[in-house]
Amino acid sequence: MGYKSFDEINEKIRAGKAVVVTADEIIDIVEEKGLKQAAKEIDVVTTATFGPMCSSGMFINFGHSDPPIRMGKVWLNDVPAYAGIAAVDAYIGATELSETKGMEYGGAHVIEDLISGKDIKLYAESYGTDCYPLKEITTYINKNNINQAFMFNPRNAYQNYNAATNSSEKILYTYMGTLLPQMGNITYSTSGQLSPLLNDPNYRTIGIGTRVFIGGAQGYVAWEGTQHNPEQNRGENGVPVGSSGTLALIGDIKKMDRRFIRAAVYEKYGISMFVGIGIPIPVLDEEILKYTTVRDSEIFTNIYDYSVQKRSRPVIKKVSYAELRSGSVEINGKIISTAPMSSLKKAREIAELLKQQIRTGEFLLTQPVSNIPRENRMSSLDVRGESNEKD
Amino acid sequence: MKKIKVSLIYPAGDVSKPITYHLVRDFNLVINILHADISLNKMGKLVLDIEGEEQDIENGLKFVEEQGIKYKLFTKTIIWQEDDCIHCGACTAVCPSNALSMDKSDWSLTFDREKCLICELCVKSCPLNVMCVSI
């Protein structure tokens, strides 16, 4: 079974001899050449996704002013950042709203503006200490005058996700877009057969320490993502049906490109951030290659009724991504239009770009230092207080 | 020749009037129905492209009014800032006329201005604010 090691593949990449194809291209190649031959010839398969990922944000170190300040509360362009860490460190979450502009502008916009090279207004307050006497500061920062700005996204690259519809009489505004009444539409959000974790469903090659393309820079898998749920129901092909595994990713904001990180506003829902992610899968053996040949017609998800405001929403129908991509799905005799929420065009651009970067030796592969868990069930939050109260 | 886009609002009970027939036969106008929400004994809405000589269009609209049917000319247009678009497709979920759709070959967004009803649903549903209205 075993053919190549990470080191051997990296040797070929360094020599400019690696054979790299995208997860779209591999399907026809394996069909033509057969699994055994293709596994010998192909070294790397690139995968990608470009979708809204709320669980994203940025750590930032501003550098010290004179006199210095122990920043207790921080705002960036009027968007609150969390400063309950060291003196001039802060974390700004993508979904945080501006205190003056509300849903028009938020943490994701601050991150996008910083990547674009714009000046960002920094305002911070403090109680003042012997070593940090300053109590207030207003200044402007940009990506060139701060020490570090790195993205740390607790949950990205969802391995599959729900599709959404709305059976109620009123329009719903959700993170799955605007859902029209009486099941007027269905929305879905993965890049299907091109999506990273759908091509490595058992996390054999993607683990902690895997080098990834994130937002145009080279970053890493830091951990399993929040709500990592590998024990989701799986099909016979091992592919989960519905939301399952997730990744926590890290990357240098200063090296990112606005083409691959974009702030998003969902009407009457809030702010999110489109994150462009590309992950290479090394073809170490036939089994790994086999998983990368998964097609949209073999990946299934459930359409949930988002009008039911409960943790467990009813499943309306199980569908394949091929059906969702066809433009309509039939439910009880009614033809309902489908619409994507993540950009397949941009995902393909990323998979292609990553392919080129590996071919030219710019992007080398890393062997995970540890696997992400294959066993982990997602917990829910039970309400135990007698009444709502904040101490 | 002139081309306008207009929506006709039918009061309940008036949907049986053959308005488009008369616009074509009596006023020599070329009619293209872009959107129709018409049922007997219910308020109705018809969105039309009307093409013809300026005077004929004017006379035709006067006739529509005389029939007790209100009309509203489309003066706005939807502008798609294509360079900034990421082609996610969120706008296609709400577009009632399929003016916005995904090109299945490369999954890019396509915008057919002829089909656009200027309902502005795409403006609100675009997460990147690349759809806007010009007045």
Side-chain angles (χ1 to χ4, degrees), chain A residues 19-35 38-39 41-47 193-194 199 283 288-295:
Chain A
V19 181
V20 191
V21 300
T22 70
D24 277 333
E25 292 165 336
I26 194 68
I27 295 170
D28 288 343
I29 294 172
V30 169
E31 193 160 283
E32 190 194 322
K33 293 178 186 276
L35 204 58
E41 291 178 20
I42 310 291
D43 299 308
V44 185
V45 176
T46 61
T47 65
Q193 66 187 29
L194 193 61
N199 281 280
V283 182
I288 287 167
L289 182 67
K290 175 97 176 62
Y291 282 123
T292 67
T293 62
V294 73
R295 299 162 188 261

Side-chain angles (χ1 to χ4, degrees), chain B residues 15-61:
Chain B
V15 296
S16 54
K17 290 180 178 170
I19 301 294
T20 48
Y21 166 81
H22 286 292
L23 289 176
V24 174
R25 209 192 72 159
D26 304 344
F27 299 96
N28 200 29
L29 296 172
V30 178
I31 304 290
N32 185 29
I33 298 173
L34 299 169
H35 177 77
D37 183 8
I38 298 276
S39 310
L40 204 58
N41 298 324
K42 269 190 180 174
M43 223 179 111
K45 189 179 173 189
L46 200 59
V47 181
L48 307 172
D49 263 340
I50 300 179
E51 201 174 353
E53 296 298 333
E54 196 156 354
Q55 192 59 48
D56 289 336
I57 292 177
E58 210 176 289
N59 291 339
L61 291 176

Side-chain angles (χ1 to χ4, degrees), chain A residues 50 171 178 180 184-185 187-188 258 262-267 274 325-327 338-346 348, chain B residues 83-95 98 102 104-109 121 124-130:
Chain A
F50 188 77
I171 197 162
T178 304
L180 301 173
N185 57 6
T187 59
Y188 62 97
R258 182 178 174 267
R262 295 293 296 278
V265 179
Y266 288 93
E267 199 199 2
F274 277 84
R325 290 255 170 237
S326 75
T338 58
M341 291 288 119
S342 76
S343 174
L344 184 56
K345 183 184 169 77
K346 293 283 283 187
R348 284 180 175 172
Chain B
D83 290 347
D84 232 16
C85 178
I86 55 162
H87 305 267
C88 64
C91 58
T92 66
V94 294
C95 181
N98 279 328
M102 302 307 286
K104 296 285 170 60
S105 59
D106 66 353
W107 288 90
S108 60
L109 183 71
L121 284 173
K124 290 180 175 178
S125 72
C126 172
L128 275 90
N129 252 334
V130 301

Side-chain angles (χ1 to χ4, degrees), chain A residues 58-65 69 71 74-79 81 88-92 105 107 109-124 137-150 253-254:
Chain A
M58 163 176 74
F59 276 103
I60 189 163
N61 178 285
F62 302 109
H64 287 285
S65 58
I69 179 170
M71 297 178 185
V74 166
W75 288 259
L76 293 167
N77 283 352
D78 287 334
V79 182
V88 291
D89 285 329
Y91 182 81
I92 187 162
Y105 189 93
H109 297 87
V110 171
I111 294 168
E112 185 184 320
D113 283 347
L114 193 77
I115 291 170
S116 308
K118 290 182 186 170
D119 272 340
I120 309 281
K121 184 182 174 186
L122 161 66
Y123 171 74
I137 190 170
T138 300
T139 185
Y140 288 85
I141 56 145
N142 59 49
K143 68 176 172 183
N144 298 316
N145 67 15
I146 49 175
N147 281 321
Q148 281 98 6
F150 56 89
I253 292 263
K254 291 187 179 187

